[in-house]
Amino acid sequence: MHELALSQGIVDLVCQQAAADGARRVRRVRIAVGVLSSVEPDAIEFCFDVVSRGTLAEGARLEIARPPGRARCVPCDAVVTVAGRDQPCPLCSERRWVLVGGDDLRVLELEVE
Ligand SMILES: [Zn+2]
């Protein structure tokens, strides 16, 4: 279950940042889990609760945004939204594109007190 390791990474990052800011605790964490990443948001939420126990991030509200897959189509030279890795470009129906976003997990925002 790689969500556990990912959640640990998020909590480490968030706690480091919060400690650097002199925060007493983390209120809210906003992360992005790309639709085309192989990450299960529900599992992240569950693991976040577990690994944040006893840290500055304990009890923090976790918000998960789901950015869509973004690809640069080679024939169109346009950035388009793709629903899956095997999906064609919605403009030209070709499948010659390069993924440029929506396949990763990132921390977007942090609210501390
Ligand atoms: Zn295209």
Side-chain angles (χ1 to χ4, degrees), residues 35-36 68-71 80-85 87-90 97 99:
V35 166
L36 298 190
R70 305 281 292 161
V80 295
T81 297
V82 287
R85 288 178 188 273
Q87 294 299 301
C89 166
W97 46 255
L99 207 57

PDB file of all heavy atoms in Angstrom, residues 35-36 68-71 80-85 87-90 97 99:
ATOM      1  N   VAL A  35      -5.935  12.942 -11.261  1.00  0.00           N
ATOM      2  CA  VAL A  35      -6.856  11.876 -11.674  1.00  0.00           C
ATOM      3  C   VAL A  35      -6.076  10.720 -12.318  1.00  0.00           C
ATOM      4  O   VAL A  35      -6.454   9.562 -12.196  1.00  0.00           O
ATOM      5  CB  VAL A  35      -7.906  12.454 -12.654  1.00  0.00           C
ATOM      6  CG1 VAL A  35      -8.663  11.358 -13.379  1.00  0.00           C
ATOM      7  CG2 VAL A  35      -8.885  13.348 -11.898  1.00  0.00           C
ATOM      8  N   LEU A  36      -4.979  11.056 -12.990  1.00  0.00           N
ATOM      9  CA  LEU A  36      -4.196  10.023 -13.664  1.00  0.00           C
ATOM     10  C   LEU A  36      -3.041   9.485 -12.824  1.00  0.00           C
ATOM     11  O   LEU A  36      -2.213   8.732 -13.300  1.00  0.00           O
ATOM     12  CB  LEU A  36      -3.661  10.549 -15.003  1.00  0.00           C
ATOM     13  CG  LEU A  36      -4.722  10.952 -16.021  1.00  0.00           C
ATOM     14  CD1 LEU A  36      -4.080  11.225 -17.375  1.00  0.00           C
ATOM     15  CD2 LEU A  36      -5.791   9.879 -16.169  1.00  0.00           C
ATOM     16  N   PRO A  68      -7.558  17.209 -13.325  1.00  0.00           N
ATOM     17  CA  PRO A  68      -7.671  16.250 -14.427  1.00  0.00           C
ATOM     18  C   PRO A  68      -6.334  16.033 -15.132  1.00  0.00           C
ATOM     19  O   PRO A  68      -5.386  16.797 -14.929  1.00  0.00           O
ATOM     20  CB  PRO A  68      -8.659  16.934 -15.380  1.00  0.00           C
ATOM     21  CG  PRO A  68      -8.489  18.388 -15.113  1.00  0.00           C
ATOM     22  CD  PRO A  68      -8.139  18.505 -13.652  1.00  0.00           C
ATOM     23  N   GLY A  69      -6.282  15.001 -15.940  1.00  0.00           N
ATOM     24  CA  GLY A  69      -5.086  14.751 -16.734  1.00  0.00           C
ATOM     25  C   GLY A  69      -4.922  15.842 -17.784  1.00  0.00           C
ATOM     26  O   GLY A  69      -5.885  16.218 -18.451  1.00  0.00           O
ATOM     27  N   ARG A  70      -3.706  16.379 -17.895  1.00  0.00           N
ATOM     28  CA  ARG A  70      -3.434  17.429 -18.867  1.00  0.00           C
ATOM     29  C   ARG A  70      -2.341  16.925 -19.793  1.00  0.00           C
ATOM     30  O   ARG A  70      -1.322  16.409 -19.336  1.00  0.00           O
ATOM     31  CB  ARG A  70      -2.950  18.706 -18.174  1.00  0.00           C
ATOM     32  CG  ARG A  70      -3.880  19.222 -17.114  1.00  0.00           C
ATOM     33  CD  ARG A  70      -5.069  19.975 -17.657  1.00  0.00           C
ATOM     34  NE  ARG A  70      -4.696  21.232 -18.272  1.00  0.00           N
ATOM     35  CZ  ARG A  70      -5.482  21.891 -19.141  1.00  0.00           C
ATOM     36  NH1 ARG A  70      -6.625  21.373 -19.515  1.00  0.00           N
ATOM     37  NH2 ARG A  70      -5.106  23.036 -19.636  1.00  0.00           N
ATOM     38  N   ALA A  71      -2.581  17.101 -21.079  1.00  0.00           N
ATOM     39  CA  ALA A  71      -1.608  16.605 -22.037  1.00  0.00           C
ATOM     40  C   ALA A  71      -1.363  17.634 -23.133  1.00  0.00           C
ATOM     41  O   ALA A  71      -2.267  18.396 -23.485  1.00  0.00           O
ATOM     42  CB  ALA A  71      -2.125  15.306 -22.661  1.00  0.00           C
ATOM     43  N   VAL A  80      -4.531  19.896 -23.682  1.00  0.00           N
ATOM     44  CA  VAL A  80      -5.912  19.428 -23.599  1.00  0.00           C
ATOM     45  C   VAL A  80      -6.101  18.576 -22.340  1.00  0.00           C
ATOM     46  O   VAL A  80      -5.137  18.137 -21.721  1.00  0.00           O
ATOM     47  CB  VAL A  80      -6.285  18.599 -24.857  1.00  0.00           C
ATOM     48  CG1 VAL A  80      -6.254  19.470 -26.094  1.00  0.00           C
ATOM     49  CG2 VAL A  80      -5.362  17.401 -25.014  1.00  0.00           C
ATOM     50  N   THR A  81      -7.360  18.357 -21.984  1.00  0.00           N
ATOM     51  CA  THR A  81      -7.678  17.497 -20.854  1.00  0.00           C
ATOM     52  C   THR A  81      -7.934  16.091 -21.379  1.00  0.00           C
ATOM     53  O   THR A  81      -8.698  15.909 -22.321  1.00  0.00           O
ATOM     54  CB  THR A  81      -8.942  18.016 -20.141  1.00  0.00           C
ATOM     55  OG1 THR A  81      -8.659  19.315 -19.625  1.00  0.00           O
ATOM     56  CG2 THR A  81      -9.333  17.113 -18.974  1.00  0.00           C
ATOM     57  N   VAL A  82      -7.278  15.117 -20.766  1.00  0.00           N
ATOM     58  CA  VAL A  82      -7.513  13.726 -21.166  1.00  0.00           C
ATOM     59  C   VAL A  82      -8.027  12.944 -19.954  1.00  0.00           C
ATOM     60  O   VAL A  82      -7.562  13.127 -18.841  1.00  0.00           O
ATOM     61  CB  VAL A  82      -6.236  13.065 -21.741  1.00  0.00           C
ATOM     62  CG1 VAL A  82      -5.927  13.615 -23.122  1.00  0.00           C
ATOM     63  CG2 VAL A  82      -5.038  13.227 -20.821  1.00  0.00           C
ATOM     64  N   ALA A  83      -9.002  12.088 -20.204  1.00  0.00           N
ATOM     65  CA  ALA A  83      -9.641  11.351 -19.115  1.00  0.00           C
ATOM     66  C   ALA A  83      -8.841  10.120 -18.716  1.00  0.00           C
ATOM     67  O   ALA A  83      -9.009   9.582 -17.630  1.00  0.00           O
ATOM     68  CB  ALA A  83     -11.051  10.959 -19.512  1.00  0.00           C
ATOM     69  N   GLY A  84      -7.971   9.666 -19.586  1.00  0.00           N
ATOM     70  CA  GLY A  84      -7.182   8.483 -19.266  1.00  0.00           C
ATOM     71  C   GLY A  84      -5.950   8.428 -20.146  1.00  0.00           C
ATOM     72  O   GLY A  84      -5.861   9.155 -21.139  1.00  0.00           O
ATOM     73  N   ARG A  85      -5.020   7.562 -19.762  1.00  0.00           N
ATOM     74  CA  ARG A  85      -3.756   7.478 -20.490  1.00  0.00           C
ATOM     75  C   ARG A  85      -3.926   6.907 -21.894  1.00  0.00           C
ATOM     76  O   ARG A  85      -3.057   7.070 -22.748  1.00  0.00           O
ATOM     77  CB  ARG A  85      -2.759   6.618 -19.708  1.00  0.00           C
ATOM     78  CG  ARG A  85      -2.241   7.311 -18.455  1.00  0.00           C
ATOM     79  CD  ARG A  85      -1.298   6.405 -17.669  1.00  0.00           C
ATOM     80  NE  ARG A  85      -0.943   7.005 -16.376  1.00  0.00           N
ATOM     81  CZ  ARG A  85       0.083   7.850 -16.209  1.00  0.00           C
ATOM     82  NH1 ARG A  85       0.839   8.168 -17.221  1.00  0.00           N
ATOM     83  NH2 ARG A  85       0.333   8.361 -15.025  1.00  0.00           N
ATOM     84  N   GLN A  87      -6.614   7.636 -23.761  1.00  0.00           N
ATOM     85  CA  GLN A  87      -7.629   8.444 -24.434  1.00  0.00           C
ATOM     86  C   GLN A  87      -7.027   9.307 -25.536  1.00  0.00           C
ATOM     87  O   GLN A  87      -5.918   9.804 -25.398  1.00  0.00           O
ATOM     88  CB  GLN A  87      -8.326   9.360 -23.415  1.00  0.00           C
ATOM     89  CG  GLN A  87      -9.143   8.611 -22.383  1.00  0.00           C
ATOM     90  CD  GLN A  87     -10.257   7.807 -23.011  1.00  0.00           C
ATOM     91  OE1 GLN A  87     -11.110   8.358 -23.691  1.00  0.00           O
ATOM     92  NE2 GLN A  87     -10.235   6.494 -22.815  1.00  0.00           N
ATOM     93  N   PRO A  88      -7.778   9.491 -26.647  1.00  0.00           N
ATOM     94  CA  PRO A  88      -7.277  10.354 -27.712  1.00  0.00           C
ATOM     95  C   PRO A  88      -7.446  11.837 -27.377  1.00  0.00           C
ATOM     96  O   PRO A  88      -8.206  12.191 -26.477  1.00  0.00           O
ATOM     97  CB  PRO A  88      -8.165   9.974 -28.901  1.00  0.00           C
ATOM     98  CG  PRO A  88      -9.436   9.523 -28.288  1.00  0.00           C
ATOM     99  CD  PRO A  88      -9.057   8.878 -26.983  1.00  0.00           C
ATOM    100  N   CYS A  89      -6.741  12.687 -28.093  1.00  0.00           N
ATOM    101  CA  CYS A  89      -6.899  14.138 -27.964  1.00  0.00           C
ATOM    102  C   CYS A  89      -8.335  14.491 -28.357  1.00  0.00           C
ATOM    103  O   CYS A  89      -8.829  14.033 -29.384  1.00  0.00           O
ATOM    104  CB  CYS A  89      -5.909  14.833 -28.895  1.00  0.00           C
ATOM    105  SG  CYS A  89      -6.260  16.579 -29.143  1.00  0.00           S
ATOM    106  N   PRO A  90      -9.034  15.302 -27.522  1.00  0.00           N
ATOM    107  CA  PRO A  90     -10.426  15.646 -27.844  1.00  0.00           C
ATOM    108  C   PRO A  90     -10.540  16.557 -29.075  1.00  0.00           C
ATOM    109  O   PRO A  90     -11.627  16.685 -29.644  1.00  0.00           O
ATOM    110  CB  PRO A  90     -10.915  16.366 -26.577  1.00  0.00           C
ATOM    111  CG  PRO A  90      -9.690  16.800 -25.856  1.00  0.00           C
ATOM    112  CD  PRO A  90      -8.606  15.836 -26.229  1.00  0.00           C
ATOM    113  N   TRP A  97       0.257  12.398 -27.704  1.00  0.00           N
ATOM    114  CA  TRP A  97       0.382  13.514 -26.781  1.00  0.00           C
ATOM    115  C   TRP A  97       1.300  13.139 -25.625  1.00  0.00           C
ATOM    116  O   TRP A  97       1.578  11.964 -25.397  1.00  0.00           O
ATOM    117  CB  TRP A  97      -0.974  13.977 -26.269  1.00  0.00           C
ATOM    118  CG  TRP A  97      -1.932  12.909 -25.808  1.00  0.00           C
ATOM    119  CD1 TRP A  97      -3.034  12.467 -26.486  1.00  0.00           C
ATOM    120  CD2 TRP A  97      -1.909  12.168 -24.571  1.00  0.00           C
ATOM    121  NE1 TRP A  97      -3.680  11.497 -25.758  1.00  0.00           N
ATOM    122  CE2 TRP A  97      -3.020  11.292 -24.577  1.00  0.00           C
ATOM    123  CE3 TRP A  97      -1.069  12.172 -23.474  1.00  0.00           C
ATOM    124  CZ2 TRP A  97      -3.296  10.426 -23.516  1.00  0.00           C
ATOM    125  CZ3 TRP A  97      -1.343  11.294 -22.416  1.00  0.00           C
ATOM    126  CH2 TRP A  97      -2.445  10.446 -22.450  1.00  0.00           C
ATOM    127  N   LEU A  99       1.934  13.666 -21.526  1.00  0.00           N
ATOM    128  CA  LEU A  99       1.279  14.067 -20.277  1.00  0.00           C
ATOM    129  C   LEU A  99       2.064  15.219 -19.631  1.00  0.00           C
ATOM    130  O   LEU A  99       3.275  15.151 -19.495  1.00  0.00           O
ATOM    131  CB  LEU A  99       1.237  12.850 -19.351  1.00  0.00           C
ATOM    132  CG  LEU A  99       0.120  12.803 -18.322  1.00  0.00           C
ATOM    133  CD1 LEU A  99      -1.239  12.892 -19.006  1.00  0.00           C
ATOM    134  CD2 LEU A  99       0.231  11.528 -17.520  1.00  0.00           C
TER     135      LEU A  99
END
